[in-house]
């Protein structure tokens, strides 16, 4: 089918725009954001046409968190601590 190269291209694009996305998240993003086409209901499993922009912006991706290490801190009694910030 000619849909295969289009869908794989959209999957690559979604992966590039959402580098932390899992394979399942990419699959769900593509399948849940098709443009419904009434003529396609009997011809394709999704009943629609792939929509790259909607797939990229789908609300299915888990937020990515980053751990940022700040400077080491030494207390007055000599204990050393490291301060971290979590961003997502």
């Amino acid at each position: 089918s000619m849909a295969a190269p289009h869908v794989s291209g959209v999957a690559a694009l979604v992966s590039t725009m959402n580098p932390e996305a899992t394979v399942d998240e990419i699959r769900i993003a593509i399948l849940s954001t098709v443009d419904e086409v009434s003529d396609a209901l009997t011809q394709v499993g999704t009943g629609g046409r792939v929509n790259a922009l909607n797939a990229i912006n789908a609300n299915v991706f888990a937020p990515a968190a980053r751990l940022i290490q700040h400077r080491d801190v030494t207390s007055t009694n000599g204990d050393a601590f490291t301060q971290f910030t979590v961003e997502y």
Side-chain angles (χ1 to χ4, degrees):
S1 146
M2 284 306 297
H6 293 277
V7 174
S8 61
V10 170
L13 183 61
V14 171
S15 177
T16 299
M17 299 302 290
N18 298 286
E20 302 295 323
T22 66
V23 172
D24 285 334
E25 288 174 332
I26 294 170
R27 180 180 55 77
I28 292 167
I30 292 171
L31 293 175
S32 66
T33 59
V34 297
D35 291 331
E36 291 184 13
V37 178
S38 60
D39 293 343
L41 289 174
T42 59
Q43 298 175 4
V44 295
T46 62
R49 172 180 53 231
V50 69
N51 185 318
L53 181 61
N54 286 350
I56 290 169
N57 295 322
N59 192 19
V60 298
F61 305 108
R66 281 190 322 157
L67 189 62
I68 301 170
Q69 179 180 350
H70 297 285
R71 66 181 189 279
D72 290 332
V73 178
T74 304
S75 67
T76 55
N77 66 357
D79 293 336
F81 299 95
T82 303
Q83 181 181 11
F84 293 93
T85 302
V86 178
E87 289 183 353
Y88 60 95

Coordinates of all heavy atoms in Angstrom, one line a residue:
S1 N 0.8 -1.2 0.0 CA 0.0 0.0 0.0 C 0.9 1.2 0.0 O 2.0 1.3 0.6 CB -0.9 -0.1 1.2 OG -1.2 1.2 1.8
M2 N 0.4 2.3 -0.6 CA 1.2 3.5 -0.6 C 1.0 4.3 0.7 O 1.7 5.3 0.9 CB 0.7 4.4 -1.8 CG 1.2 4.0 -3.1 SD 3.0 3.8 -3.2 CE 3.5 5.5 -2.8
A3 N 0.2 3.8 1.6 CA 0.1 4.4 2.9 C 1.3 4.1 3.8 O 1.7 5.0 4.6 CB -1.2 3.9 3.6
A4 N 1.9 3.0 3.6 CA 3.1 2.6 4.4 C 4.2 3.6 4.4 O 4.7 4.0 5.5 CB 3.6 1.2 4.0
P5 N 4.7 4.1 3.3 CA 5.7 5.1 3.4 C 5.3 6.4 4.0 O 6.1 7.1 4.7 CB 6.2 5.3 1.9 CG 5.2 4.7 1.1 CD 4.4 3.7 1.9
H6 N 4.0 6.8 3.8 CA 3.5 8.0 4.4 C 3.5 7.9 5.9 O 3.9 8.8 6.7 CB 2.2 8.4 3.8 CG 2.2 8.7 2.4 ND1 2.5 10.0 2.0 CD2 2.0 8.0 1.3 CE1 2.5 10.0 0.6 NE2 2.2 8.8 0.2
V7 N 2.9 6.8 6.4 CA 2.8 6.6 7.8 C 4.2 6.4 8.5 O 4.4 7.0 9.6 CB 1.9 5.4 8.1 CG1 1.8 5.1 9.6 CG2 0.5 5.6 7.6
S8 N 5.1 5.7 7.9 CA 6.4 5.6 8.5 C 7.1 6.9 8.5 O 7.9 7.2 9.4 CB 7.2 4.5 7.7 OG 7.4 4.9 6.4
G9 N 6.9 7.8 7.5 CA 7.5 9.1 7.5 C 6.9 10.0 8.6 O 7.6 10.7 9.3
V10 N 5.6 9.9 8.8 CA 5.0 10.6 9.9 C 5.5 10.1 11.3 O 5.8 10.9 12.2 CB 3.4 10.5 9.9 CG1 2.8 11.0 11.1 CG2 2.9 11.2 8.7
A11 N 5.7 8.8 11.4 CA 6.3 8.2 12.6 C 7.7 8.7 12.9 O 8.0 9.1 14.0 CB 6.3 6.7 12.5
A12 N 8.5 8.9 11.8 CA 9.8 9.4 12.0 C 9.7 10.9 12.4 O 10.5 11.4 13.3 CB 10.6 9.3 10.7
L13 N 8.8 11.6 11.8 CA 8.7 13.0 12.1 C 8.2 13.2 13.6 O 8.7 14.0 14.3 CB 7.6 13.7 11.2 CG 7.4 15.2 11.3 CD1 8.6 16.0 11.1 CD2 6.3 15.6 10.3
V14 N 7.2 12.4 14.0 CA 6.7 12.5 15.4 C 7.9 12.1 16.3 O 8.1 12.8 17.4 CB 5.5 11.5 15.6 CG1 5.2 11.4 17.1 CG2 4.3 12.0 14.8
S15 N 8.7 11.1 16.0 CA 9.8 10.7 16.9 C 10.8 11.9 17.0 O 11.4 12.1 18.0 CB 10.4 9.5 16.3 OG 11.6 9.1 17.1
T16 N 11.1 12.5 15.9 CA 12.0 13.7 15.9 C 11.5 14.8 16.7 O 12.3 15.4 17.5 CB 12.3 14.1 14.4 OG1 12.8 13.1 13.7 CG2 13.3 15.3 14.4
M17 N 10.2 15.1 16.6 CA 9.7 16.2 17.4 C 9.4 15.9 18.8 O 9.3 16.8 19.7 CB 8.4 16.7 16.7 CG 8.6 17.2 15.3 SD 9.7 18.5 15.1 CE 8.8 19.8 15.9
N18 N 9.3 14.6 19.2 CA 9.1 14.2 20.5 C 10.1 13.1 20.9 O 9.8 11.9 20.9 CB 7.7 13.6 20.7 CG 6.6 14.7 20.4 OD1 6.4 15.6 21.2 ND2 6.0 14.6 19.3
P19 N 11.4 13.4 21.0 CA 12.4 12.4 21.2 C 12.3 11.5 22.4 O 12.9 10.4 22.3 CB 13.7 13.3 21.3 CG 13.3 14.6 21.6 CD 11.9 14.8 21.1
E20 N 11.6 11.9 23.4 CA 11.4 11.0 24.5 C 10.2 10.1 24.4 O 9.9 9.2 25.2 CB 11.2 11.8 25.8 CG 12.3 12.8 26.1 CD 13.6 12.1 26.4 OE1 13.6 11.0 27.0 OE2 14.7 12.6 26.0
A21 N 9.5 10.2 23.3 CA 8.3 9.4 23.1 C 8.6 7.9 22.9 O 9.6 7.5 22.3 CB 7.5 9.9 21.8
T22 N 7.7 7.0 23.4 CA 7.9 5.6 23.2 C 7.2 5.2 21.9 O 6.4 5.9 21.3 CB 7.2 4.8 24.4 OG1 5.8 5.1 24.3 CG2 7.7 5.3 25.7
V23 N 7.5 4.0 21.5 CA 6.9 3.4 20.3 C 5.4 3.4 20.4 O 4.6 3.8 19.5 CB 7.4 2.0 20.0 CG1 6.7 1.4 18.8 CG2 8.9 2.1 19.7
D24 N 4.9 3.0 21.6 CA 3.4 3.0 21.8 C 2.8 4.3 21.7 O 1.7 4.5 21.2 CB 3.1 2.3 23.1 CG 3.2 0.8 23.1 OD1 3.1 0.2 22.0 OD2 3.5 0.2 24.2
E25 N 3.5 5.3 22.3 CA 3.0 6.7 22.3 C 2.9 7.2 20.8 O 1.9 7.9 20.4 CB 3.8 7.7 23.1 CG 3.7 7.5 24.6 CD 4.7 8.3 25.4 OE1 5.8 8.6 24.9 OE2 4.3 8.6 26.5
I26 N 3.9 6.9 20.0 CA 3.9 7.3 18.6 C 2.8 6.6 17.9 O 2.0 7.3 17.1 CB 5.3 7.1 18.0 CG1 6.3 7.9 18.6 CG2 5.2 7.3 16.5 CD1 7.7 7.6 18.2
R27 N 2.6 5.3 18.1 CA 1.5 4.6 17.4 C 0.2 5.2 17.8 O -0.7 5.4 16.9 CB 1.6 3.1 17.8 CG 0.5 2.3 17.1 CD 0.6 0.8 17.5 NE 0.6 0.6 19.0 CZ -0.5 0.6 19.7 NH1 -1.6 0.9 19.2 NH2 -0.4 0.4 21.0
I28 N -0.1 5.4 19.1 CA -1.3 6.0 19.5 C -1.6 7.4 18.9 O -2.7 7.7 18.5 CB -1.4 6.0 21.1 CG1 -1.5 4.5 21.6 CG2 -2.6 6.8 21.5 CD1 -1.2 4.4 23.1
A29 N -0.5 8.2 18.9 CA -0.6 9.5 18.3 C -1.0 9.5 16.9 O -1.9 10.3 16.5 CB 0.7 10.3 18.5
I30 N -0.5 8.6 16.1 CA -0.8 8.5 14.7 C -2.2 8.0 14.5 O -3.0 8.6 13.8 CB 0.2 7.6 13.9 CG1 1.6 8.3 13.9 CG2 -0.3 7.3 12.5 CD1 2.7 7.5 13.4
L31 N -2.6 6.9 15.2 CA -3.9 6.3 15.0 C -5.0 7.1 15.6 O -6.2 7.1 15.1 CB -3.9 4.9 15.7 CG -3.0 3.8 15.0 CD1 -3.0 2.6 15.8 CD2 -3.4 3.6 13.6
S32 N -4.8 7.9 16.6 CA -5.9 8.7 17.2 C -6.1 10.1 16.6 O -7.0 10.8 17.0 CB -5.6 8.8 18.7 OG -4.5 9.7 18.9
T33 N -5.3 10.4 15.6 CA -5.4 11.8 15.0 C -5.6 11.8 13.5 O -5.4 12.8 12.9 CB -4.1 12.6 15.3 OG1 -3.0 11.9 14.8 CG2 -3.9 12.8 16.8
V34 N -6.1 10.7 13.0 CA -6.4 10.6 11.6 C -7.6 11.6 11.2 O -8.4 11.8 12.1 CB -6.7 9.2 11.1 CG1 -5.6 8.3 11.3 CG2 -8.0 8.7 11.7
D35 N -7.6 12.1 10.0 CA -8.7 12.8 9.5 C -9.7 11.8 8.9 O -9.3 11.1 8.0 CB -8.2 13.8 8.4 CG -7.4 14.9 8.9 OD1 -7.5 15.3 10.0 OD2 -6.5 15.4 8.1
E36 N -10.9 11.8 9.5 CA -11.9 10.8 9.0 C -12.3 11.1 7.6 O -12.5 12.3 7.2 CB -13.1 10.8 9.9 CG -12.8 10.2 11.3 CD -14.0 10.2 12.2 OE1 -15.1 10.3 11.7 OE2 -13.8 9.9 13.4
V37 N -12.3 10.1 6.8 CA -12.7 10.2 5.4 C -13.8 9.1 5.2 O -13.5 7.9 5.3 CB -11.5 10.0 4.4 CG1 -12.0 10.0 3.0 CG2 -10.4 11.0 4.7
S38 N -15.0 9.6 4.8 CA -16.1 8.6 4.7 C -15.9 7.5 3.7 O -16.2 6.4 3.9 CB -17.4 9.3 4.4 OG -17.3 10.0 3.2
D39 N -15.2 7.8 2.6 CA -14.9 6.8 1.6 C -13.9 5.8 2.0 O -13.8 4.7 1.5 CB -14.4 7.5 0.3 CG -15.5 8.4 -0.4 OD1 -16.6 8.2 -0.1 OD2 -15.1 9.2 -1.2
A40 N -13.1 6.1 3.1 CA -12.1 5.2 3.5 C -12.5 4.2 4.5 O -11.8 3.3 4.9 CB -10.9 6.1 4.1
L41 N -13.8 4.3 5.0 CA -14.2 3.4 6.1 C -14.1 2.0 5.7 O -13.8 1.1 6.5 CB -15.7 3.8 6.4 CG -15.9 5.1 7.2 CD1 -17.3 5.4 7.4 CD2 -15.2 5.0 8.5
T42 N -14.3 1.6 4.4 CA -14.3 0.2 4.0 C -12.9 -0.1 3.4 O -12.6 -1.3 3.2 CB -15.4 -0.1 3.0 OG1 -15.2 0.8 1.9 CG2 -16.7 0.1 3.6
Q43 N -12.0 0.8 3.2 CA -10.8 0.6 2.6 C -9.6 0.5 3.5 O -8.6 -0.1 3.2 CB -10.5 1.7 1.5 CG -11.6 1.7 0.4 CD -11.4 2.8 -0.5 OE1 -10.4 3.6 -0.4 NE2 -12.3 3.0 -1.5
V44 N -9.6 1.2 4.6 CA -8.5 1.2 5.6 C -9.0 1.0 7.0 O -10.1 1.3 7.3 CB -7.7 2.6 5.5 CG1 -7.1 2.8 4.1 CG2 -8.6 3.7 5.8
G45 N -8.1 0.5 7.8 CA -8.5 0.1 9.2 C -8.8 1.3 10.0 O -9.6 1.2 10.9
T46 N -8.3 2.5 9.8 CA -8.5 3.6 10.6 C -9.7 4.4 10.2 O -10.2 5.3 10.9 CB -7.3 4.6 10.7 OG1 -7.0 5.0 9.4 CG2 -6.1 3.9 11.2
G47 N -10.1 4.2 8.9 CA -11.2 5.0 8.4 C -10.8 6.4 8.1 O -11.7 7.3 8.0
G48 N -9.5 6.7 7.9 CA -9.1 8.1 7.7 C -7.8 8.2 7.0 O -7.1 7.2 6.6
R49 N -7.3 9.4 7.0 CA -6.0 9.8 6.4 C -5.1 10.3 7.5 O -5.5 11.0 8.4 CB -6.4 10.9 5.4 CG -5.2 11.6 4.7 CD -5.6 12.7 3.8 NE -6.6 13.6 4.4 CZ -7.8 14.0 3.9 NH1 -8.2 13.5 2.7 NH2 -8.5 14.8 4.5
V50 N -3.8 9.9 7.4 CA -2.9 10.3 8.4 C -2.7 11.8 8.4 O -2.8 12.5 7.4 CB -1.5 9.6 8.1 CG1 -0.8 10.1 6.9 CG2 -0.6 9.8 9.3
N51 N -2.6 12.4 9.6 CA -2.4 13.8 9.8 C -1.2 14.1 10.6 O -1.2 13.9 11.8 CB -3.7 14.4 10.5 CG -3.6 15.9 10.6 OD1 -2.6 16.5 10.9 ND2 -4.8 16.6 10.3
A52 N -0.1 14.5 10.0 CA 1.2 14.7 10.6 C 1.2 15.7 11.7 O 1.7 15.5 12.8 CB 2.3 15.0 9.6
L53 N 0.6 16.9 11.4 CA 0.6 17.9 12.4 C -0.2 17.5 13.7 O 0.3 17.7 14.8 CB 0.0 19.2 11.8 CG -0.1 20.4 12.8 CD1 1.3 20.8 13.2 CD2 -0.8 21.6 12.1
N54 N -1.4 16.9 13.5 CA -2.1 16.4 14.7 C -1.4 15.4 15.4 O -1.5 15.3 16.7 CB -3.5 15.9 14.2 CG -4.4 17.1 13.9 OD1 -4.1 18.2 14.1 ND2 -5.6 16.7 13.3
A55 N -0.7 14.5 14.7 CA 0.1 13.4 15.4 C 1.2 14.0 16.2 O 1.5 13.6 17.4 CB 0.6 12.4 14.4
I56 N 1.9 15.0 15.7 CA 3.0 15.7 16.5 C 2.4 16.3 17.7 O 3.1 16.3 18.8 CB 3.7 16.7 15.6 CG1 4.5 16.0 14.5 CG2 4.6 17.6 16.4 CD1 5.0 17.0 13.4
N57 N 1.3 17.0 17.6 CA 0.7 17.7 18.7 C -0.3 16.9 19.6 O -0.9 17.5 20.4 CB 0.0 19.0 18.2 CG 1.0 19.9 17.6 OD1 2.1 20.1 18.0 ND2 0.6 20.5 16.5
A58 N -0.3 15.6 19.4 CA -1.3 14.8 20.1 C -1.0 14.8 21.6 O 0.2 15.0 22.0 CB -1.2 13.3 19.6
N59 N -2.0 14.8 22.4 CA -1.9 14.8 23.8 C -1.8 13.4 24.4 O -2.5 13.0 25.3 CB -3.1 15.5 24.4 CG -2.9 15.9 25.9 OD1 -1.8 16.0 26.3 ND2 -4.0 16.1 26.6
V60 N -0.8 12.7 23.9 CA -0.6 11.3 24.4 C 0.8 11.1 24.9 O 1.2 10.0 25.4 CB -0.8 10.3 23.3 CG1 -2.3 10.4 22.8 CG2 0.1 10.5 22.1
F61 N 1.7 12.1 24.8 CA 3.1 11.9 25.2 C 3.3 12.3 26.7 O 2.8 13.3 27.2 CB 4.0 12.8 24.4 CG 3.8 12.6 22.9 CD1 3.2 13.5 22.1 CD2 4.3 11.4 22.3 CE1 3.0 13.2 20.7 CE2 4.1 11.1 21.0 CZ 3.5 12.1 20.2
A62 N 4.0 11.4 27.4 CA 4.3 11.7 28.8 C 5.3 12.8 28.9 O 6.1 13.0 28.0 CB 4.9 10.4 29.5
P63 N 5.1 13.7 29.9 CA 6.1 14.8 30.0 C 7.5 14.2 30.3 O 7.6 13.2 31.0 CB 5.6 15.6 31.2 CG 4.6 14.7 32.0 CD 4.1 13.7 31.0
A64 N 8.5 14.8 29.7 CA 9.9 14.4 29.9 C 10.4 15.2 31.0 O 10.2 16.4 31.1 CB 10.7 14.6 28.6
A65 N 11.1 14.5 31.9 CA 11.7 15.2 33.1 C 13.2 15.3 32.9 O 13.8 14.3 32.3 CB 11.4 14.5 34.4
R66 N 13.8 16.3 33.4 CA 15.3 16.5 33.4 C 15.7 16.7 34.9 O 15.1 17.4 35.6 CB 15.7 17.7 32.6 CG 15.7 17.5 31.2 CD 16.4 18.7 30.5 NE 16.1 20.0 31.1 CZ 16.9 21.1 30.9 NH1 18.0 21.0 30.2 NH2 16.5 22.2 31.5
L67 N 16.8 16.1 35.2 CA 17.4 16.3 36.5 C 18.6 17.1 36.4 O 19.6 16.8 35.6 CB 17.8 14.9 37.1 CG 18.2 14.9 38.6 CD1 17.1 15.4 39.5 CD2 18.7 13.5 39.0
I68 N 18.6 18.3 37.0 CA 19.7 19.3 36.9 C 20.5 19.3 38.2 O 19.9 19.6 39.3 CB 19.2 20.7 36.5 CG1 18.4 20.6 35.2 CG2 20.3 21.7 36.5 CD1 17.6 21.8 34.9
Q69 N 21.8 19.0 38.1 CA 22.6 19.1 39.3 C 23.2 20.5 39.5 O 23.7 21.0 38.6 CB 23.7 18.1 39.2 CG 24.6 18.1 40.5 CD 25.8 17.1 40.4 OE1 25.8 16.2 39.5 NE2 26.7 17.2 41.3
H70 N 23.0 21.0 40.7 CA 23.6 22.3 41.0 C 24.9 22.0 41.8 O 25.3 20.9 41.9 CB 22.6 23.1 41.9 CG 21.3 23.4 41.1 ND1 21.2 24.4 40.1 CD2 20.1 22.9 41.2 CE1 20.0 24.4 39.6 NE2 19.3 23.5 40.3
R71 N 25.4 23.0 42.4 CA 26.7 22.9 43.1 C 26.5 22.0 44.3 O 25.5 21.8 44.9 CB 27.2 24.2 43.5 CG 26.4 24.9 44.5 CD 26.9 26.3 44.8 NE 26.3 26.9 46.0 CZ 25.1 27.5 45.9 NH1 24.5 27.6 44.8 NH2 24.5 28.0 47.0
D72 N 27.7 21.4 44.7 CA 27.7 20.7 46.0 C 27.7 21.7 47.1 O 28.3 22.8 47.1 CB 29.0 19.8 46.1 CG 28.9 18.7 45.1 OD1 27.8 18.2 44.8 OD2 30.0 18.2 44.7
V73 N 27.0 21.4 48.2 CA 26.8 22.2 49.3 C 27.4 21.5 50.5 O 27.2 20.3 50.8 CB 25.4 22.6 49.6 CG1 25.2 23.4 50.8 CG2 24.7 23.2 48.4
T74 N 28.2 22.2 51.3 CA 28.8 21.7 52.6 C 28.2 22.4 53.7 O 28.1 23.6 53.8 CB 30.3 21.8 52.6 OG1 30.9 21.2 51.4 CG2 30.9 21.2 53.8
S75 N 27.6 21.6 54.6 CA 27.0 22.2 55.8 C 28.0 22.7 56.8 O 29.2 22.4 56.7 CB 26.0 21.2 56.5 OG 26.7 20.2 57.0
T76 N 27.6 23.4 57.8 CA 28.5 23.9 58.9 C 29.2 22.8 59.6 O 30.3 22.9 60.2 CB 27.8 24.8 59.8 OG1 26.7 24.1 60.4 CG2 27.3 26.1 59.1
N77 N 28.5 21.6 59.7 CA 29.2 20.5 60.4 C 30.0 19.6 59.5 O 30.5 18.5 59.9 CB 28.1 19.6 61.2 CG 27.2 18.9 60.3 OD1 27.3 19.0 59.1 ND2 26.3 18.1 60.8
G78 N 30.2 20.0 58.3 CA 31.0 19.2 57.3 C 30.3 18.2 56.4 O 31.0 17.6 55.6
D79 N 29.0 18.0 56.6 CA 28.3 17.1 55.7 C 28.2 17.7 54.3 O 27.9 18.9 54.2 CB 26.9 16.8 56.3 CG 27.0 16.0 57.6 OD1 28.0 15.3 57.8 OD2 26.0 16.1 58.3
A80 N 28.4 16.9 53.3 CA 28.3 17.4 51.9 C 27.0 16.9 51.3 O 26.5 15.8 51.5 CB 29.4 16.8 51.1
F81 N 26.3 17.8 50.6 CA 25.1 17.6 50.0 C 25.1 18.1 48.5 O 25.9 19.0 48.2 CB 23.9 18.3 50.7 CG 23.7 17.9 52.1 CD1 24.3 18.6 53.1 CD2 22.9 16.8 52.4 CE1 24.1 18.3 54.4 CE2 22.8 16.4 53.7 CZ 23.3 17.2 54.7
T82 N 24.4 17.5 47.7 CA 24.2 17.9 46.3 C 22.8 18.4 46.1 O 21.9 17.6 46.4 CB 24.6 16.8 45.3 OG1 25.9 16.4 45.6 CG2 24.6 17.3 43.9
Q83 N 22.6 19.5 45.5 CA 21.3 20.1 45.3 C 20.9 19.8 43.8 O 21.7 19.9 42.9 CB 21.3 21.6 45.5 CG 20.0 22.2 45.3 CD 20.1 23.8 45.5 OE1 21.2 24.3 45.6 NE2 19.0 24.4 45.5
F84 N 19.7 19.3 43.7 CA 19.1 18.9 42.3 C 17.8 19.7 42.1 O 17.1 20.0 43.0 CB 18.9 17.4 42.2 CG 20.1 16.6 42.2 CD1 20.6 16.0 43.4 CD2 20.8 16.3 41.0 CE1 21.7 15.2 43.4 CE2 21.9 15.5 41.0 CZ 22.4 15.0 42.2
T85 N 17.5 19.9 40.8 CA 16.2 20.4 40.4 C 15.6 19.5 39.4 O 16.4 19.1 38.5 CB 16.3 21.9 39.9 OG1 16.9 22.7 40.9 CG2 15.0 22.4 39.4
V86 N 14.4 19.2 39.5 CA 13.7 18.4 38.5 C 12.8 19.4 37.6 O 12.0 20.1 38.1 CB 12.8 17.3 39.1 CG1 12.1 16.5 38.0 CG2 13.6 16.4 40.0
E87 N 13.1 19.3 36.3 CA 12.3 20.2 35.4 C 11.5 19.3 34.4 O 12.1 18.2 34.0 CB 13.2 21.1 34.6 CG 13.8 22.2 35.3 CD 14.6 23.1 34.5 OE1 14.8 22.8 33.3 OE2 15.1 24.1 35.0
Y88 N 10.3 19.6 34.1 CA 9.6 18.9 33.1 C 8.5 19.8 32.5 O 8.3 20.9 32.9 CB 8.9 17.6 33.6 CG 8.0 17.8 34.7 CD1 6.6 17.8 34.5 CD2 8.4 17.8 36.0 CE1 5.7 18.0 35.5 CE2 7.5 17.9 37.1 CZ 6.2 18.0 36.8 OH 5.3 18.1 37.8

